[in-house]
């Protein structure tokens, strides 16, 4: 007969006991709650398969292993968050998605990253801060929706729209886009601040912010007032060598801003015909992003190919990364993993003393 102590010994033997939080044995049913090493879906799948095989060969095929595999806890919010603007309760990591130039696919990348992180089991928000060209409503098929107002602890907050497991807000839900175009910097940043702080985001592992292209006023006001954990820079190979990307990175590196750049995502890195995915055509050269990233000391988080279906998927409001087992979804999972890895590294490598140093720097104190 299968007993709890036999199972316990076996868990130890196969060296997963430290991953198991709870287990029960009822006849031939074994219930196990455990945590994977990595939040990646394929890691969980791998663990599940390995556990099933191990139990079947040790105790026989008739054993019903009922596994519940959780994702590991995300790294704690880094120290820098506390000194940049007011902490936003419930939001663990705020990631700014930026680019030097428009049209490089920043919004497409932000939307695909958001659905990928949600698919990996994270709680994800996406804020469309591109008030001059909001595209989140179209890309995530939520055009024409209107956020409702909800009361939370006596405050009236706007409730983000939700689709594909992603909570989102965009100026596009509130007014005609052409109305926003005439907004000046201060008005725009006020609206954005409201969408961040006066919204019912709830608990989020990640809030991605799709910044407008460039390095203007809005960027400065957002990144000074919002506790951004890290920035991801999107570029295409033809723009990678351009001064814009460096300028973007330099902005985050400014002493008064000091937001870690988590890495570079090279979009439209190569062309690949969908029916021949192993054929890669590096139309704009191959190593640009790698060289620049090395030069600037930041990692390349991912190379996204130029694929017709990415554009089509964006146009119909269903990000390509949602397709199961496609090259695109694999590439986005890898990219998201790299981003998380970079984030973990930054979070653990930022010593607390750094925060003290930063708080004394001019221009860094949050606006009231
Ligand atoms: N990897 C890609 N493959 C094919 N089309 C893409 C890719 N990335 C972006 N696009 C398309 O390029 C256009 C610009 O992308 P968008 O995300 O709106 O750029 P940005 O936000 O930087 O202005 C859109 O039509 C989008 O569908
Ligand atoms: Mg955009």
């Amino acid at each position: 007969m299968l007993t709890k102590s036999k199972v316990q010994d076996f868990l130890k033997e196969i060296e997963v006991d430290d991953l198991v939080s709870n287990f029960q044995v009822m006849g031939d049913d074994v219930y196990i709650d455990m945590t994977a090493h990595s939040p990646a879906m394929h890691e969980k799948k791998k663990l599940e398969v390995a556990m099933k095989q191990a139990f079947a060969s040790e105790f026989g095929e008739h054993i019903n292993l009922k596994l519940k595999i959780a994702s590991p806890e995300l790294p704690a919010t880094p120290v820098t968050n506390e000194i940049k603007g007011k902490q936003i309760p419930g939001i663990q990591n705020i990631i700014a998605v930026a680019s030097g130039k428009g049209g490089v696919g920043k919004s497409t990348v932000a939307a695909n990253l958001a659905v990928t992180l949600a698919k990996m089991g994270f709680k994800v928000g996406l804020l469309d801060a591109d008030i001059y060209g909001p595209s989140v409503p179209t890309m995530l098929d939520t055009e024409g929706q209107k956020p409702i107002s909800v009361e939370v602890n006596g405050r009236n907050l706007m409730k983000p729209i939700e689709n594909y497991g992603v909570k989102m807000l965009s100026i596009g839900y509130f007014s005609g886009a052409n109305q926003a175009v005439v907004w000046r910097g201060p008005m725009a940043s006020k609206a954005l601040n409201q969408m961040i702080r006066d919204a019912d985001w709830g608990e989020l592992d990640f809030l991605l912010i799709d910044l407008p292209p460039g390095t203007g006023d809005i960027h400065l006001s957002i990144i000074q007032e919002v506790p951004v954990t890290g920035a991801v820079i999107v570029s295409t190979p033809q723009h990678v060598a351009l001064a814009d990307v460096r300028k973007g990175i330099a902005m985050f590196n400014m002493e008064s801003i000091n937001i870690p750049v988590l890495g570079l995502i090279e979009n439209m890195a190569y062309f690949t015909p969908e029916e021949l995915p192993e054929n890669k055509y590096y139309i704009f050269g191959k190593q640009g992003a790698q060289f620049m990233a090395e030069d600037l000391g930041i990692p390349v988080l991912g190379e996204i190919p130029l694929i017709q279906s990415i554009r089509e998927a964006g146009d119909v409001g269903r990000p390509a990364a949602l397709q199961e087992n496609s090259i695109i979804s694999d590439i986005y999972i890898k990219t998201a993993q790299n981003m998380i890895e970079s984030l973990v590294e930054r979070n653990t490598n930022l010593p607390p003393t750094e925060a003290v140093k930063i708080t004394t720097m001019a221009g860094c104190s949050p606006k009231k």
Side-chain angles (χ1 to χ4, degrees):
M1 231 235 338
L2 197 53
T3 63
K4 203 165 174 183
S5 76
K6 270 191 206 161
V7 170
Q8 179 143 37
D9 290 345
F10 185 61
L11 290 172
K12 225 180 219 138
E13 194 187 315
I14 59 173
E15 294 179 1
V16 295
D17 51 318
D18 55 332
L19 300 178
V20 171
S21 54
N22 199 5
F23 72 97
Q24 283 303 333
V25 179
M26 288 177 202
D28 287 341
D29 294 337
V30 182
Y31 296 82
I32 297 181
D33 293 343
M34 60 195 304
T35 308
H37 276 300
S38 139
M41 272 204 311
H42 66 88
E43 281 297 328
K44 289 203 231 176
K45 195 78 213 158
K46 237 167 47 189
L47 183 62
E48 186 187 331
V49 171
M51 288 289 287
K52 291 214 154 127
Q53 274 171 357
F55 269 75
S57 67
E58 177 77 9
F59 301 116
E61 297 283 349
H62 61 286
I63 295 297
N64 297 317
L65 189 57
K66 314 226 161 157
L67 274 178
K68 220 195 253 163
I69 303 181
S71 290
E73 293 266 316
L74 269 187
T77 317
V79 282
T80 45
N81 262 7
E82 284 154 36
I83 51 128
K84 281 266 177 87
K86 253 194 336 218
Q87 186 85 27
I88 302 167
I91 303 183
Q92 288 292 327
N93 294 287
I94 300 183
I95 312 274
V97 182
S99 70
K101 269 212 171 338
V104 298
K106 179 175 45 59
S107 301
T108 308
V109 168
N112 278 287
L113 265 184
V115 298
T116 300
L117 288 164
K119 226 168 52 171
M120 287 163 84
F122 293 114
K123 299 190 202 77
V124 183
L126 175 61
L127 175 70
D128 188 355
D130 195 346
I131 53 155
Y132 302 116
S135 44
V136 163
T138 312
M139 286 188 179
L140 290 141
D141 197 21
T142 52
E143 248 174 337
Q145 298 210 34
K146 293 266 168 282
I148 56 166
S149 170
V150 288
E151 207 188 296
V152 180
N153 301 328
R155 287 177 69 208
N156 276 326
L157 302 178
M158 51 190 134
K159 192 161 183 61
I161 305 289
E162 198 167 336
N163 199 12
Y164 309 127
V166 176
K167 291 179 182 172
M168 52 201 124
L169 278 177
S170 165
I171 220 74
Y173 299 130
F174 296 99
S175 61
N178 42 352
Q179 222 173 314
V181 178
V182 298
W183 284 13
R184 303 249 173 259
M187 230 168 119
S189 73
K190 186 160 175 260
L192 285 172
N193 248 306
Q194 280 181 348
M195 288 199 289
I196 295 172
R197 296 181 191 278
D198 299 340
D200 179 26
W201 290 106
E203 298 280 327
L204 291 183
D205 296 311
F206 295 101
L207 176 62
L208 303 186
I209 303 185
D210 180 10
L211 286 181
T215 46
D217 286 0
I218 298 185
H219 298 81
L220 286 174
S221 73
I222 293 175
I223 59 190
Q224 274 171 337
E225 289 179 30
V226 175
V228 175
T229 320
V232 168
I233 314 282
V234 179
S235 182
T236 58
Q238 54 299 28
H239 291 124
V240 102
L242 293 184
D244 303 82
V245 179
R246 285 173 193 271
K247 225 160 94 187
I249 294 172
M251 173 179 74
F252 291 108
N253 285 340
M254 269 161 62
E255 280 195 353
S256 60
I257 306 264
N258 201 30
I259 291 172
V261 175
L262 301 174
L264 184 75
I265 296 180
E266 194 181 16
N267 188 34
M268 314 193 210
Y270 52 89
F271 168 74
T272 193
E274 229 133 334
E275 57 284 5
L276 289 168
E278 57 290 346
N279 289 15
K280 298 178 177 180
Y281 301 97
Y282 289 84
I283 302 167
F284 296 106
K286 199 168 175 180
Q287 237 104 47
Q290 200 65 49
F291 284 147
M292 195 195 67
E294 265 167 37
D295 188 27
L296 294 167
I298 57 170
V300 174
L301 303 176
E303 287 185 355
I304 320 284
L306 175 71
I307 297 189
Q308 192 175 342
S309 67
I310 293 192
R311 190 191 51 74
E312 287 165 356
D315 291 348
V316 300
R318 192 180 151 79
L322 286 170
Q323 295 158 14
E324 286 301 325
N325 302 320
S326 66
I327 40 169
I328 286 303
S329 70
D330 290 350
I331 289 171
Y332 266 106
I333 286 174
K334 193 87 208 45
T335 305
Q337 281 169 343
N338 288 339
M339 185 190 84
I340 294 170
E341 224 165 79
S342 181
L343 187 68
V344 171
E345 201 181 302
R346 294 290 176 159
N347 287 357
T348 37
N349 284 352
L350 280 176
T353 48
E354 198 77 353
V356 179
K357 215 166 74 197
I358 296 166
T359 41
T360 62
M361 269 180 200
C364 198
S365 56
K367 287 191 191 133
K368 291 283 140 43

